Amino acid sequence: MGASPTVPLPAGAALNAPKLVISGLGKTFRGDRGDVVALKGVDLAIGENEFVSLVGTSGCGKSTLLSIVAGLENHDAGSLAIDGKAIQGPGLDRGVVFQSYTLLPWLTTLGNVEFALLAAGKSRKDARDIARAHLSLVGLDGFADRFPAELSGGMKQRVAIARALSYRPNMLLMDEPFGALDALTRHHMQELLARIWEQHRLTVLFVTHDVEEAVYMSDRVAVMSNRPGRIKSIIPIDLPRPRTYDMTGSPEFARLQREVLSEIRAESIAIAALGDALT
Amino acid sequence: MPGEKQEQSAPPAFSSGMFSLTATVSGRRFITIAILVFLVLGLLWWGVAKTGLVTPLFLPSPEMVIARLQELAASGKLVDDLIISVYRISLGFLISTIFALPIGILIGSYRAWEAAIEPLVDFIRYMPVVAFVPLTILWTGTGDAQKFLIIFIGTFFQQVLLVMDNVKSVPRDFINLGRTLQMPEWRILMRIILPSAMPAIWDSMRISLGWAWTWLVVAELVAATSGLGYRITTAQRFFQTDTIFGYLLLLGVLGLTTDQAMKWGHRRLFRYLRVQR
Ligand SMILES: Nc1ncnc2c1ncn2[C@@H]1O[C@H](COP(=O)(O)OP(=O)(O)O)[C@@H](O)[C@H]1O
Ligand SMILES: [Mg+2]
């Protein structure tokens, strides 16, 4: 199989050329206490403007995969390319949203977005205008001069999303961006992100361990195996767009959710040290 | 009305006042408690001295100490001692800080530099500073340079390690943010790591300033012809316990004042950390 890395092309929404192609990707962490094979033989292709979620048990290598795509981490086997060009380190073509918000505490919300724009080479005036526009995109018009210490978790993450979108990357990488939020706030954030994405299409790779979230947001859900992580299966989500919160109650939604869940469940039971307790 | 009575019922049993583990204390009350402790100890001192059980040679009364301080102030000696000592600690601490900051930041940011410098600093740090006094006198004589050197040896190595730790605790994702924005390494260092570590570094400086006071007085006790420490040694030679007491209290006040000033600076400079609207 390794000889011809046939990469499954995305179905449905992504008849377009693949934006990101990952094939045979492997990553081993070498440490004093032995090596950890985090990823082995990861094959995944994501179409232009496609929203793909990556789900899997904790420690299966989701963050590692995302970091490699972001160019923050190197890999030691296989290849990955964006628009046919191999990824060499981080770049402004990819915006990253970390779970830990990563707002710089000494800058205001506006300052945090401007920070990215100035780094991307915008003039002071342009940076200010674009930053304001993006704060307004995430509904934080009135919070431009607040400091991160004054914001709730959900607000912080909205600033981080505004910042990642502000310099117009054509790919957005998000690592459990809503993982630290309470359930209600998380739902609001999902709706907001879905709406922004539906209006301003771009390619998204979205890591989550929340199956409902994955189904609600995505065009396709990629399920990873336990460590060493690889893409175990890909489930197309052909729910109509725009997604609305009512859809989460539909039988089709429930069916898709069950399908994704059953894929993960096998992996989860395997690492949960439950023995025969659930069989 | 019966309903009204119920609303005024006692506070729930789990809040057991000021002395429960998680209780908060208002700023005003905090200061009141602190001042009270000082007053009680002062009174105790005054009371014991008053009984005459302890000879004034060992424990002079507060009145004697205050009188002596007034006398020293009137003759101008007190101010002279203060000025020279403050000059020495300011310059000594400044020199130490100027060297410690870049080196601490360097070894906190780059593992290879840490390997080169940290073990060495740790090694020297464990050499007792007082043992350097004879050496520093051999090297530089008994002038101000020797005081700077002792303050430097006493604070620099500690500062380097503190700053290194401060820089190391900058979240990894902050650095990753800079990388995803394709910022050059030095810019990440200057624009992200440094401002992020600054509040903690400020606190490290505050703590090491306290140590610097100790080393200053040590240096002045051993070899000096002026300064607070020098006055204490001469006082001992003439059995002027009241002078010693007065200067010790003065040193305590100076330490407390600089510490509070640094804390105040922290609140001003890093207001963004605790803004509440
Ligand atoms: N820097 C690292 N050094 C060593 N091992 C690591 C490192 N980062 C991650 N790992 C290991 O790689 C595996 C995958 O981690 P990660 O990608 O964070 O998982 P996930 O995000 O799916 O929970 C885990 O077993 C983790 O302990
Ligand atoms: Mg993770």
Side-chain angles (χ1 to χ4, degrees):
Chain A
M1 206 178 87
S4 61
T6 45
V7 178
L9 283 182
L15 288 169
N16 322 326
K19 176 81 187 164
L20 168 73
V21 178
I22 302 170
S23 49
L25 192 79
K27 168 76 184 173
T28 304
F29 288 107
R30 308 203 179 276
D32 300 337
R33 275 187 272 138
D35 298 347
V36 176
V37 185
L39 301 173
K40 198 171 180 183
V42 175
D43 292 322
L44 180 67
I46 300 180
E48 181 99 48
N49 295 343
E50 194 187 14
F51 196 121
V52 172
S53 285
L54 206 54
V55 297
T57 55
S58 149
C60 75
K62 305 181 293 293
S63 296
T64 304
L65 180 54
L66 197 91
S67 293
I68 293 172
V69 176
L72 294 169
E73 196 85 67
N74 51 20
H75 58 282
D76 36 39
S79 65
L80 71 168
I82 289 179
D83 294 329
K85 269 191 289 201
I87 290 177
Q88 314 267 10
L92 288 162
D93 58 328
R94 283 149 287 157
V96 183
V97 176
F98 305 88
Q99 179 176 355
S100 58
Y101 313 132
T102 61
L103 295 190
L104 305 176
W106 61 94
L107 297 176
T108 59
T109 46
L110 188 69
N112 265 283
V113 184
E114 283 177 336
F115 184 89
L117 288 159
L118 292 173
K122 294 275 187 273
S123 73
R124 289 209 162 267
K125 189 187 172 310
D126 286 353
R128 173 134 307 191
D129 294 343
I130 300 170
R132 282 200 185 282
H134 280 84
L135 281 184
S136 140
L137 180 72
V138 295
L140 288 174
D141 294 286
F143 294 84
D145 59 351
R146 296 293 177 99
F147 285 98
E150 299 176 89
L151 304 180
S152 68
M155 286 174 165
K156 283 186 210 170
Q157 202 55 299
R158 273 143 75 190
V159 178
I161 291 171
R163 178 176 64 189
L165 291 173
S166 68
Y167 52 90
R168 300 254 157 227
N170 40 42
M171 204 169 171
L172 192 60
L173 307 171
M174 308 177 92
D175 191 356
E176 306 199 24
F178 310 142
L181 304 176
D182 65 87
L184 283 174
T185 310
R186 195 156 67 224
H187 285 157
H188 302 324
M189 296 292 291
Q190 289 161 4
E191 286 180 85
L192 179 74
L193 183 62
R195 207 175 64 216
I196 291 173
W197 182 80
E198 279 154 7
Q199 286 164 6
H200 305 257
R201 291 288 170 123
L202 78 168
T203 312
V204 180
L205 182 57
F206 185 93
V207 168
T208 178
H209 59 243
D210 181 336
V211 173
E212 185 194 12
E213 178 172 277
V215 172
Y216 181 73
M217 303 294 302
S218 315
D219 293 323
R220 289 186 304 150
V221 175
V223 180
M224 283 180 80
S225 70
N226 285 337
R227 214 183 66 217
R230 56 181 176 80
I231 306 297
K232 185 186 168 196
S233 53
I234 295 181
I235 295 146
I237 309 293
D238 18 63
L239 295 168
R241 300 257 181 198
R243 301 275 161 89
T244 60
Y245 212 71
D246 298 338
M247 284 180 194
T248 56
S250 74
E252 179 61 4
F253 192 96
R255 187 190 63 75
L256 286 164
Q257 208 176 324
R258 278 198 70 80
E259 193 177 334
V260 176
L261 199 57
S262 68
E263 289 288 334
I264 306 177
R265 201 176 132 82
E267 305 294 321
S268 176
I269 288 176
I271 60 162
L274 281 162
D276 292 334
L278 288 186
T279 54
Chain B
M1 276 188 271
E4 233 166 295
K5 264 237 168 87
Q6 278 209 316
E7 263 157 44
Q8 292 176 352
S9 63
F14 57 77
S15 76
S16 42
M18 226 166 35
F19 293 99
S20 97
L21 278 176
T22 51
T24 54
V25 172
S26 74
R28 180 171 297 180
R29 184 171 277 186
F30 191 96
I31 292 170
T32 312
I33 297 175
I35 290 175
L36 262 172
V37 168
F38 273 90
L39 282 180
V40 167
L41 285 177
L43 268 174
L44 211 67
W45 173 23
W46 180 78
V48 171
K50 200 82 189 159
T51 58
L53 286 174
V54 188
T55 117
L57 180 63
F58 293 150
L59 186 74
S61 70
E63 292 102 312
M64 286 167 73
V65 171
I66 290 165
R68 175 68 79 178
L69 280 180
Q70 278 171 342
E71 187 187 306
L72 283 164
S75 69
K77 280 180 184 162
L78 183 74
V79 177
D80 288 350
D81 291 342
L82 261 177
I83 288 176
I84 189 71
S85 286
V86 168
Y87 160 73
R88 283 169 184 157
I89 196 177
S90 305
L91 213 58
F93 185 75
L94 197 72
I95 296 168
S96 171
T97 306
I98 285 173
F99 282 94
L101 279 183
I103 294 174
I105 291 165
L106 185 76
I107 67 177
S109 304
Y110 299 99
R111 191 87 170 129
W113 284 110
E114 183 186 347
I117 294 172
E118 198 267 349
L120 181 67
V121 168
D122 230 358
F123 175 62
I124 301 174
R125 186 169 72 106
Y126 276 102
M127 301 178 182
V129 181
V130 271
F132 279 94
V133 171
L135 192 61
T136 56
I137 293 174
L138 265 172
W139 282 347
T140 61
T142 57
D144 286 349
Q146 188 256 346
K147 312 295 170 295
F148 300 148
L149 201 54
I150 284 296
I151 294 174
F152 182 87
I153 295 170
T155 37
F156 169 78
F157 300 98
Q158 313 282 348
Q159 282 181 329
V160 166
L161 296 182
L162 287 172
V163 172
M164 177 190 78
D165 271 339
N166 298 152
V167 169
K168 275 189 171 188
S169 36
V170 171
R172 180 61 183 268
D173 277 350
F174 278 18
I175 298 165
N176 280 340
L177 169 73
R179 295 236 162 96
T180 63
L181 295 172
Q182 281 194 306
M183 292 166 71
E185 292 271 300
W186 63 270
R187 237 181 134 76
I188 294 179
L189 195 66
M190 299 304 289
R191 292 296 183 85
I192 294 180
I193 296 179
L194 212 55
S196 173
M198 218 50 217
I201 290 178
W202 184 273
D203 260 335
S204 298
M205 293 307 111
R206 178 174 64 82
I207 291 161
S208 58
L209 183 55
W211 302 332
W213 274 111
T214 309
W215 301 125
L216 166 78
V217 176
V218 164
E220 286 180 344
L221 282 174
V222 178
T225 50
S226 59
L228 296 166
Y230 164 74
R231 188 72 57 202
I232 291 177
T233 339
T234 37
Q236 181 233 331
R237 219 168 287 150
F238 297 105
F239 300 106
Q240 292 170 343
T241 324
D242 43 9
T243 307
I244 299 178
F245 263 69
Y247 270 48
L248 283 176
L249 291 177
L250 196 62
L251 281 164
V253 170
L254 284 171
L256 191 66
T257 314
T258 42
D259 200 71
Q260 290 300 318
M262 291 288 282
K263 277 186 177 164
W264 178 84
H266 195 284
R267 280 195 297 272
R268 296 241 97 193
L269 286 170
F270 312 114
R271 194 176 272 171
Y272 58 80
L273 288 174
R274 49 179 81 78
V275 269
Q276 220 86 102
R277 268 185 243 196

